[in-house]
Amino acid sequence: MTTPHLSKALATFACKLKIGDIPQEVIARTEDLLVDWFGSAIAGKGSRPVETITQFAQNMGGFNNANPGSAEVLISRTHSSPFLAALANAAASHVAEQDDVHNGSVFHPATVVFPAALATAQTIGASGEDLLVAAVAGYEVGIRVGEFLGRSHYKTFHTTGTAGTLAAAAAVGHLLKLNPSQMLHAFGSAGTQSAGLWEFLRDAADSKQLHTAHAAATGLMSAYLAQSGFTGAEHILEGKQGLAAGMSSDSDPSKLTDRLGSRWAIAETSFKYHASCRHTHPAADALLQVMLTYQLKPTDITKIETLVHQGAIDVLGPVTDPSTVHQSKFSMGTVLALIAHYQFAGLQEFDQHFHDQEICAFRDRITMILDPEVDGAYPQRWIGKVKVYLQNGEILEGRVDEPKGDPGNTLSRTEITDKAMRLAAFSGGATPSEMSNAIERLWNIRKQSKIGLLIS
C-alpha cells in the first residue's frame, strides 16, 4: 500500500485553489481578517523592536536607492523589495498583541500571511481577489501545519514562527502561480528554516517580533526561490528527519489534509479583543463577567484563582514580575489586575498602568491552577474559569465558553473598524482620515484590479 504524500497534497491544494472554490462567507471573513491585521500593523509604529527591525531592513538596502521597489512598508511610508517589506510589516503587526489567532493550532496566521502576500501582490500587480485567495491558501496551510505539530511542539516552540514559514510560502507561492512541484519545494525550503523558541519570555527579549519577521520573509523567499528552480525537501513535514521528527512528540499527520477543501480553517480564526497574550483572554472575560454581574470593586477581592490549560501555564508561568509593557501582556496577574481596575486590558491600560503599585499588588494575588476540563478542551476550545475570593468570605465563580472574538462570539465589521482606528490612534501610525481611507479600500479590495498603496 502506497503511503499518502501529505506534504504534496497540501502543496497541490495551495497551488490550485480558486476563488470559485471558496464559499462567499469565507471570502468575507478573509476581508475581516485583513482589516483586523492592518490595524495591528499600523499599531507597530514607534515600538522599539519594530523600529529596529525596520531600520535594519532600510540599512540592508531597497528603501532609498533609485529603484526601491513597490512593496509598502506601512510604518515608515516607504517602498521596498517584497522581502524587506514583508520582514518589516510582519514585525510591526505582532507587537500590540491584537492580531488574530486560530485556537486549534495556537497560531497567529495574519501576522505572517498578510505581510508576505501584500508585499508580493503590490510588487507583481496582483488583484484584490488574487490577494484574498492567496491569503486563504496561507491560512489553510499554516493552520494545518500548526495542528499537525501538536501541543508538545507549542510547549517549546512559538508555532507562529515555525508553521508561519509554510503559511507565508503558500500565500506567496499561490500569487507567483507555482505549480505543485514548485510549491512542494517552497514548503521544503520554508520548513527547513522554521524557528522560534519561547525562552525569550523569561528575559523580556524582543524575539517575538523577530519570529514573525523571519517567518514572513523566509516563506516569501522560499516561494521566490522555488519559482527559480531551487529545490527543497519533499517530505519536510512528515519525513524521518523533518519538522515533526525534530520539533514534536505528538504530531498527527492526518491533520495536514483534514477535510481539505471543505473545512475552512480560516473561518475558525478568532479576533483578539484584549491587547495581551491570547492565553489570558478566557480568564479575563470570565473575571469581567463576575465584576460586572456583582458590581465588584478591586478592594472587594482578596485573591483570584484562574483555572487554566497547561499551555497557559507553559507560556505565562515564567512571567512573574514583568519589566516591560510587552512582557506584562504575558502576565496573567497583570491582565486580570487591569480587568479588575479598568474593565479592559487595552493598549492604553498596559502602557499607562502595568507597573502601578496597585496593579502589581493585585497581580500577586492571582494564581493559575491546571483544570482538567479546561485542559481537556484545549486547544479546540479555550474555556475561561475563575474563582474570585471576596473580603466577606464569599467565593464567586465565573465561566466563559467562548471568549470575545471567537467565531461564536465574534467582532462585527463596525467593531473591527473601530479597533483598527483605536490601534492607529494609540501608535500615531496614521491619521484618522488616512485610516478611514485605507480601511475603505480594504473593505472593497475584491473590486481592485491591481493593489496599490494602502496609505497614500
Side-chain angles (χ1 to χ4, degrees):
M1 183 176 177
T2 304
T3 303
H5 194 331
L6 300 177
S7 293
K8 185 175 182 179
L10 198 58
T12 301
F13 167 83
C15 287
K16 295 187 175 181
L17 187 64
K18 297 180 177 60
I19 188 75
D21 301 328
I22 307 169
Q24 285 300 303
E25 62 270 21
V26 175
I27 291 293
R29 183 70 165 186
T30 308
E31 293 169 342
D32 295 347
L33 295 166
L34 174 59
V35 174
D36 187 70
W37 165 78
F38 178 68
S40 283
I42 297 299
K45 177 70 174 177
S47 164
R48 181 188 52 76
V50 172
E51 297 287 353
T52 301
I53 288 174
T54 303
Q55 184 62 49
F56 163 80
Q58 181 172 332
N59 292 343
M60 292 297 102
F63 280 43
N64 299 313
N65 58 28
N67 183 25
S70 52
E72 186 176 11
V73 180
L74 293 169
I75 68 164
S76 65
R77 309 296 178 81
T78 52
H79 305 161
S80 185
S81 68
F83 179 86
L84 295 174
L87 186 87
N89 290 337
S93 54
H94 200 51
V95 73
E97 293 296 331
Q98 293 265 255
D99 49 310
D100 64 21
V101 62
H102 180 267
N103 288 348
S105 57
V106 202
F107 168 54
H108 300 275
T111 192
V112 291
V113 170
F114 285 121
L118 177 65
T120 303
Q122 289 177 325
T123 299
I124 67 175
S127 70
E129 188 175 279
D130 293 336
L131 174 65
L132 292 173
V133 177
V136 173
Y139 270 69
E140 296 300 318
V141 168
I143 287 168
R144 283 175 169 80
V145 171
E147 291 176 331
F148 156 72
L149 290 170
R151 290 181 61 164
S152 66
H153 177 77
Y154 188 78
K155 185 177 178 65
T156 303
F157 292 95
H158 182 200
T159 306
T160 305
T162 55
T165 59
L166 287 108
V172 174
H174 185 88
L175 285 166
L176 296 179
K177 296 180 170 35
L178 300 187
N179 62 40
S181 177
Q182 291 172 317
M183 184 71 85
L184 186 61
H185 288 306
F187 284 6
S189 293
T192 202
Q193 299 177 85
S194 292
L197 297 163
W198 283 117
E199 182 62 25
F200 74 90
L201 283 173
R202 288 174 166 80
D203 308 308
D206 299 331
S207 306
K208 201 161 190 271
Q209 286 70 62
L210 183 61
H211 293 175
T212 56
H214 174 263
T218 293
L220 180 148
M221 176 179 68
S222 298
Y224 271 88
L225 288 174
Q227 185 186 45
S228 298
F230 196 89
T231 64
E234 296 187 10
H235 293 269
I236 194 64
L237 297 170
E238 72 278 34
K240 291 182 179 180
Q241 291 176 295
L243 271 181
M247 295 182 169
S248 175
S249 61
D250 65 344
S251 64
D252 182 353
S254 70
K255 297 290 187 182
L256 291 171
T257 54
D258 175 32
R259 291 165 286 159
L260 198 59
S262 61
R263 170 215 173 195
W264 298 99
I266 189 171
E268 304 164 0
T269 305
S270 300
F271 300 99
K272 289 178 73 175
Y273 184 64
H274 305 292
S276 59
C277 175
R278 181 65 173 177
H279 292 296
T280 67
H281 289 211
D285 285 358
L287 176 60
L288 183 60
Q289 177 193 86
V290 173
M291 298 293 296
L292 295 178
T293 299
Y294 297 96
Q295 295 296 295
L296 299 179
K297 301 186 295 293
T299 52
D300 296 327
I301 299 170
T302 60
K303 68 174 183 176
I304 298 172
E305 293 176 350
T306 63
L307 309 178
V308 299
H309 52 265
Q310 184 62 47
I313 294 172
D314 293 340
V315 173
L316 307 176
V319 185
T320 56
D321 184 17
S323 59
T324 66
V325 171
H326 191 257
Q327 191 184 33
S328 73
K329 296 180 178 190
F330 292 81
S331 161
M332 180 69 86
T334 301
V335 173
L336 296 196
L338 293 174
I339 292 292
H341 285 79
Y342 302 105
Q343 287 75 57
F344 187 55
L347 293 177
Q348 289 192 358
E349 286 74 21
F350 279 104
D351 190 56
Q352 297 174 11
H353 301 294
F354 91 93
H355 216 251
D356 287 357
Q357 185 175 355
E358 62 182 6
I359 296 297
C360 293
F362 197 98
R363 175 195 75 197
D364 294 338
R365 302 202 297 270
I366 295 167
T367 56
M368 290 187 290
I369 298 173
L370 182 65
D371 181 85
E373 181 195 12
V374 176
D375 192 57
Y378 173 83
Q380 281 69 33
R381 296 171 59 218
W382 295 39
I383 300 171
K385 293 166 69 174
V386 296
K387 289 184 178 179
V388 181
Y389 294 76
L390 304 185
Q391 297 283 1
N392 64 10
E394 285 187 80
I395 302 174
L396 304 175
E397 297 187 8
R399 179 187 178 112
V400 171
D401 286 284
E402 288 188 285
K404 178 74 170 175
D406 267 11
N409 188 16
T410 194
L411 302 185
S412 67
R413 287 201 162 184
T414 297
E415 289 176 310
I416 293 168
T417 297
D418 290 346
K419 174 185 169 184
M421 295 294 291
R422 189 167 62 246
L423 288 169
F426 178 82
S427 70
T431 66
S433 62
E434 287 173 331
M435 282 300 288
S436 293
N437 291 336
I439 290 171
E440 182 67 20
R441 291 191 193 101
L442 291 173
W443 284 135
N444 291 284
I445 197 162
R446 256 187 281 188
K447 301 175 183 177
Q448 297 179 27
S449 59
K450 183 178 179 180
I451 297 174
L453 300 179
L454 299 185
I455 303 178
S456 56

